[in-house]
Amino acid sequence: MTAATTVPWKDRNPKDPKSPSKNHRTAGERPEQSSSFCHSRNGNIDQHASSQTVQGPDRPRAEVDETSCSSPAPSSHSSERKFLVSFAPGDPENPYNWSSGRKVFIVLVGIATVVNSTLGSALPSGATRYIAKYFHITSEEELVLPISIYLVGYIVGPILCGPLSETYGRKVVMLTTFGFFTAFTLGCALAPNWPALLIFRFLVGISASSPISVVGGLMADVYNDPVTRGRAMALFMAATTFGPLIGPIISGFVSVVSWRWTFWVELMIAGATWPLCLSLPETCGPIILKRRAENLRKQRSEPRIYAPMDLERKGAKETITIVLSRPIRMFFTEAIVLFTCLYMSLAYAIFYLFFQAYPIIFQGIYGMSTGILGLAFIPIGVGALIACAMFLYWDTILQRAKERHAPWAAAEENRRLPLACVGGPLYVLSLFWLGWAANPTIHWIVPMMAGLPFGVGFLLIFMALLNYLTDAYDIYAASAMAAASCSRSIWGAALPFAGTKMYNKLGVHWASSLLGFLSLGMTLIPFVFIKYGDRIRANSALSNELSELKTKRDNEEKEREFGDNTVDMA
């Protein structure tokens, strides 16, 4: 009796059960090179695929032994052969195959880190007056800095964290940056002077930008179903909205005791999050395969076992020019990324501008205290909850349409973008509502309730567009979201500097109206994507590359499944 021989179905000769399979070629090999694939489960070579007859041009046949994955028969080219490790169907180490409970835990860890990050962004807003008094700051522009400098840190982080998480793994990037986040938050609490506080706020912002750009990739790692992934992304986006809204409430009441307690509370929340972060498993599939290949090389003393990432090794120059520059290149070369970033950037900047506008409106016109002012942001949070409910309801409609095989449900642009078509007008409405209802003769609840459509519109826009980016760019989702995070942080850091002057010069009515007119122009973007999105993606080099990779991956999976069902014993 001889070893089992597996031959892909498409290359199988029905008259010869041991007919050799077609040569496979891996990334980085020349056409004349031949490769053997060792598919592994739980770190072991898959027995169904381990005895494969390989024959390259001008070289003798060679077999891979089923138990040792030994070298093929000697030949002048044998050193060029590579054994590629990949996930077999149903592999328990493949994040797509993990249990629902484990996936939910990963989503919760991601949300916890995002809440820490976004909470810190707006945390000083309720303590500004006390910080100014302590450090003797009188300039209105300088008082914007504790929030804006944090968002400047958001600009730097995604360029590094998103791509590096795709190269070195999600967990190592998340843990490293959260460690810096904790340490620099402590620095803010102990800052001896104004420059030191600003430096620490900038460093905290860089560290806090990691979850914003990595968690989207985390969701894509564990959910291959767009429906489930979209629901997880909805929770992620809700967390990004609630974090900044909680900040003014905490600082508005705590800073009465001491502005430093604002940062001590943030440090306590970060400490409570650490056990969750330490329990986070690695979710990036290519990284898992890379580590599996390293273990197999050690266990079997076979240096030619590789993971797909090993065949695309990059030096420092390539890492900088290709990996780290990918978000920037996507911003300038991908129309979908560019216009998505522009829309979200304006919406995001207006959101952070509200931390300057709300004190002008609710303290300047209605005379509210700092603590009560923080409560004025609650309607925005309620609007975000309504947006989540709308998202889930739309998701149900979409799934029913797919079950009926409705033509409109087959288009990728129709999956999420209609939500932005609803959210955009609501967002515009809220800005005009806030501006023209803010009047001493009108009760304060009326302009405050403008936060409801604002929260609904803001979150619907973000959920729709970020889900669209994730679905459209698959394995490069983290880089696409890094580009989005970077661009909106630039706007979020810059626009608030003009906020106080704009409201003082134009007045509350026309300053809010100006923001409304700018947002009105942006509402056209999702409508254009729905009509022309498929053509835009068809003309995108990166989208075509992803499509080819996805097709190749699907074909390999089918080939393995056929191979597992065609094992012959002599």
Side-chain angles (χ1 to χ4, degrees), residues 358-395:
Y358 266 43
I360 293 173
I361 294 172
F362 294 105
Q363 286 186 310
I365 296 178
Y366 296 104
M368 293 182 177
S369 66
T370 304
I372 300 301
L373 171 64
L375 299 178
F377 291 94
I378 289 179
I380 298 178
V382 175
L385 291 176
I386 296 173
C388 284
M390 291 174 66
F391 179 91
L392 295 176
Y393 178 68
W394 167 254
D395 204 49

Side-chain angles (χ1 to χ4, degrees), residues 369-547:
S369 66
T370 304
I372 300 301
L373 171 64
L375 299 178
F377 291 94
I378 289 179
I380 298 178
V382 175
L385 291 176
I386 296 173
C388 284
M390 291 174 66
F391 179 91
L392 295 176
Y393 178 68
W394 167 254
D395 204 49
T396 303
I397 294 175
L398 180 63
Q399 294 314 304
R400 290 175 180 172
K402 286 183 176 180
E403 291 172 1
R404 297 194 312 268
H405 302 288
W408 67 268
E412 187 168 342
E413 279 70 26
N414 291 336
R415 187 179 297 154
R416 306 296 179 197
L417 290 178
L419 293 171
C421 296
V422 175
L426 287 174
Y427 190 84
V428 173
L429 170 66
S430 69
L431 294 171
F432 286 106
W433 180 345
L434 176 68
W436 293 96
N439 191 297
T441 60
I442 300 175
H443 195 275
W444 54 264
I445 195 65
V446 178
M448 190 179 291
M449 291 306 292
L452 278 174
F454 182 89
V456 174
F458 178 80
L459 192 53
L460 285 180
I461 291 168
F462 269 71
M463 285 193 298
L465 296 180
L466 284 179
N467 269 291
Y468 184 50
L469 280 183
T470 302
D471 292 342
Y473 291 99
D474 194 20
I475 60 173
Y476 296 136
S479 290
M481 293 187 70
S485 178
C486 181
S487 63
R488 69 176 181 258
S489 296
I490 294 174
W491 285 55
L495 190 58
F497 281 102
T500 301
K501 286 186 176 180
M502 181 176 69
Y503 270 84
N504 288 337
K505 188 171 184 178
L506 298 180
V508 172
H509 303 328
W510 286 107
S512 297
S513 296
L514 175 60
L515 299 175
F517 286 123
L518 291 174
S519 300
L520 182 62
M522 292 293 181
T523 58
L524 297 175
I525 291 175
F527 290 96
V528 172
F529 282 168
I530 289 175
K531 187 171 181 61
Y532 300 107
D534 55 343
R535 301 181 196 176
I536 295 172
R537 286 187 290 111
N539 293 324
S540 163
L542 185 58
S543 293
N544 290 330
E545 177 187 340
L546 286 170
S547 179

Side-chain angles (χ1 to χ4, degrees), residues 66-82:
E66 69 171 332
T67 57
S68 63
C69 194
S70 60
S71 303
S75 75
S76 60
H77 299 283
S78 63
S79 61
E80 295 178 353
R81 299 174 188 247
K82 296 179 177 67

Side-chain angles (χ1 to χ4, degrees), residues 244-471:
L245 302 179
I246 298 171
I249 298 174
I250 294 175
S251 58
F253 288 103
V254 171
S255 59
V256 176
V257 178
S258 170
W259 66 266
R260 295 186 187 275
W261 267 101
T262 298
F263 299 105
W264 286 119
V265 171
E266 184 180 16
L267 191 64
M268 293 175 190
I269 296 172
T273 308
W274 262 108
L276 295 175
C277 292
L278 293 173
S279 303
L280 180 70
E282 179 55 59
T283 63
C284 187
I287 297 298
I288 295 173
L289 288 176
K290 182 178 180 180
R291 294 173 183 173
R292 175 182 288 184
E294 290 173 355
N295 291 333
L296 288 172
R297 283 197 294 268
K298 293 178 182 178
Q299 293 172 6
R300 301 181 180 276
S301 300
E302 174 51 76
R304 294 173 301 163
I305 298 177
Y306 294 94
M309 285 188 69
D310 296 324
L311 302 179
E312 298 178 358
R313 286 181 177 174
K314 302 177 178 68
K317 182 179 179 181
E318 287 78 9
T319 299
I320 294 173
T321 57
I322 297 176
V323 178
L324 298 184
S325 65
R326 187 182 295 138
I328 300 174
R329 287 186 288 112
M330 291 178 74
F331 179 83
F332 288 107
T333 61
E334 294 292 315
I336 290 174
V337 175
L338 173 63
F339 287 100
T340 296
C341 288
L342 290 177
Y343 194 2
M344 290 193 297
S345 295
L346 179 63
Y348 188 79
I350 293 173
F351 180 77
Y352 276 92
L353 181 66
F354 273 15
F355 295 110
Q356 275 71 51
Y358 266 43
I360 293 173
I361 294 172
F362 294 105
Q363 286 186 310
I365 296 178
Y366 296 104
M368 293 182 177
S369 66
T370 304
I372 300 301
L373 171 64
L375 299 178
F377 291 94
I378 289 179
I380 298 178
V382 175
L385 291 176
I386 296 173
C388 284
M390 291 174 66
F391 179 91
L392 295 176
Y393 178 68
W394 167 254
D395 204 49
T396 303
I397 294 175
L398 180 63
Q399 294 314 304
R400 290 175 180 172
K402 286 183 176 180
E403 291 172 1
R404 297 194 312 268
H405 302 288
W408 67 268
E412 187 168 342
E413 279 70 26
N414 291 336
R415 187 179 297 154
R416 306 296 179 197
L417 290 178
L419 293 171
C421 296
V422 175
L426 287 174
Y427 190 84
V428 173
L429 170 66
S430 69
L431 294 171
F432 286 106
W433 180 345
L434 176 68
W436 293 96
N439 191 297
T441 60
I442 300 175
H443 195 275
W444 54 264
I445 195 65
V446 178
M448 190 179 291
M449 291 306 292
L452 278 174
F454 182 89
V456 174
F458 178 80
L459 192 53
L460 285 180
I461 291 168
F462 269 71
M463 285 193 298
L465 296 180
L466 284 179
N467 269 291
Y468 184 50
L469 280 183
T470 302
D471 292 342

